[in-house]
Amino acid sequence: MPELPEIETIKNVIEPQIKGLVIKKITVNRSEVIAQPKDDEFCKAVTGHEISDMTRRGKFLILHLKNESRIILHLRMTGCLLVTPSDYPMEKHTHIIFHLSGEKELRFSDIRRFWRFWLIQDGEEDTFSGIGKLGLEPLSRECNAEYLKSKFGKRKKKIKECLLDQSVIAGIGNIYSDEILFLAKICPARSAGSLTEKEWERLAEMIPECLSYFIEKNHIEQEDYLQTKGQDYRNTPFLQVYGHAGESCPNCGETLVRVVISGRSSVYCPNCQK
């Protein structure tokens, strides 16, 4: 499932291509992916308006319109977002097409139809998408050791579970929680309440360092992104522990171990992350 670095990559690729363009028409092939409001109301409300920019919040993308409305979308596990010429071959599972000025199209496809769109109009409270329940952005200065300890320091939950709590930190998932904890030299099965002051500081330092590193490694040019249908995330060669159970630790050579924490696969080094 795409996590913060992948969503940030998509934003960085898509936003420059659509900024300043006008939504001329919308084709809806699967109305169920529009969660709020009904599809006909959605299309009527956004048609004719200019896209001012695109931002990211946690794992959500937000299209901001010039009229102060915003379209919130979530890719779920298999969603794909492409900007194409109007005559570009159509993907099989394309559910919504934004026909834009300049003979461009913004296309949303998903083989599983798990995508969701929410339109929040100017002055309307967002009680639909859940974006308001998200915690701090992990790249923000406020997401520091003091904040993490105040939220997790008294919990008996495993630290891996805590990092996945979107109400505290927005955007970290199964992949990068493993990578962050490896860099911080903290076992994912440790209870959050057992972490020392130095470990909280190290964890707070590694969170933005790890995510920024993978945002950089995921960089892709617009042409390559379109050619690979937005599915060529380039982080895989740089993952140190996730997906490497049974292999040697890149730091010490110890065999990496896989455990299941709250139904999620977790990989760590029993020597580096005691």
Side-chain angles (χ1 to χ4, degrees):
M1 182 174 183
E3 300 179 24
L4 187 152
E6 287 73 47
I7 303 301
E8 185 71 15
T9 297
I10 294 170
K11 178 189 77 70
N12 291 340
V13 170
I14 299 296
E15 200 257 1
Q17 300 183 76
I18 62 174
K19 185 175 182 178
L21 299 185
V22 175
I23 301 170
K24 298 172 67 177
K25 186 178 75 170
I26 299 177
T27 299
V28 179
N29 297 322
R30 290 283 183 176
S31 60
E32 64 265 31
V33 301
I34 299 178
Q36 168 63 31
K38 293 182 179 180
D39 58 334
D40 55 343
E41 296 176 42
F42 179 95
C43 296
K44 183 178 179 180
V46 304
T47 298
H49 293 289
E50 181 180 334
I51 299 170
S52 57
D53 63 356
M54 173 184 273
T55 59
R56 179 197 55 76
R57 179 74 172 100
K59 301 176 187 178
F60 290 82
L61 286 169
I62 308 169
L63 275 174
H64 299 270
L65 306 183
K66 279 284 188 178
N67 69 347
E68 303 300 327
S69 295
R70 60 196 189 277
I71 301 168
I72 300 173
L73 50 143
H74 199 297
L75 280 72
R76 307 297 183 187
M77 295 181 66
T78 55
C80 177
L81 181 63
L82 297 176
V83 177
T84 74
S86 57
D87 59 352
Y88 194 79
M90 191 73 64
E91 291 298 296
K92 183 178 180 181
H93 300 282
T94 299
H95 304 317
I96 299 181
I97 305 165
F98 283 49
H99 303 270
L100 307 176
S101 55
E103 299 302 317
K104 289 186 178 181
E105 293 181 354
L106 182 60
R107 300 176 180 178
F108 305 85
S109 61
D110 188 352
I111 192 171
R112 298 188 178 186
R113 302 200 297 272
F114 286 167
W115 271 80
R116 288 298 178 267
F117 286 77
W118 300 267
L119 172 64
I120 311 300
Q121 302 197 55
D122 184 25
E124 182 180 13
E125 183 182 359
D126 178 12
T127 59
F128 311 103
S129 70
I131 205 169
K133 298 178 182 179
L134 296 177
L136 289 182
E137 285 290 319
L139 299 176
S140 67
R141 291 183 178 180
E142 293 78 15
C143 190
N144 52 32
E146 183 179 356
Y147 173 77
L148 295 176
K149 186 177 179 181
S150 70
K151 295 295 184 179
F152 300 138
K154 295 182 179 180
R155 292 194 185 184
K156 294 181 180 180
K157 278 189 174 182
K158 296 175 174 57
I159 188 60
K160 166 74 177 263
E161 293 179 76
C162 292
L163 290 181
L164 300 179
D165 186 343
Q166 302 299 300
S167 70
V168 179
I169 312 174
I172 299 175
N174 204 40
I175 296 173
Y176 297 111
S177 56
D178 277 3
E179 296 296 309
I180 289 166
L181 290 169
F182 177 71
L183 291 174
K185 300 185 185 301
I186 299 169
C187 176
R190 285 268 302 276
S191 68
S194 72
L195 268 62
T196 65
E197 195 70 39
K198 287 186 177 180
E199 287 175 322
W200 284 118
E201 291 174 1
R202 194 161 66 237
L203 181 60
E205 181 182 352
M206 289 302 105
I207 288 173
E209 183 174 314
C210 177
L211 295 175
S212 297
Y213 172 80
F214 281 103
I215 289 172
E216 178 186 348
K217 294 303 180 185
N218 266 335
H219 175 77
I220 185 171
E221 297 298 330
Q222 293 175 4
E223 296 79 8
D224 293 335
Y225 179 89
L226 179 58
Q227 186 176 7
T228 57
K229 305 298 186 293
Q231 300 294 324
D232 184 24
Y233 301 127
R234 302 187 170 191
N235 61 358
T236 305
F238 305 100
L239 296 172
Q240 298 193 74
V241 290
Y242 181 85
H244 292 285
E247 300 177 21
S248 298
C249 171
N251 285 345
C252 70
E254 184 74 33
T255 301
L256 297 174
V257 174
R258 176 186 178 274
V259 294
V260 177
I261 298 174
S262 294
R264 302 286 192 96
S265 174
S266 300
V267 181
Y268 73 101
C269 173
N271 182 50
C272 296
Q273 301 166 264
K274 292 182 180 179

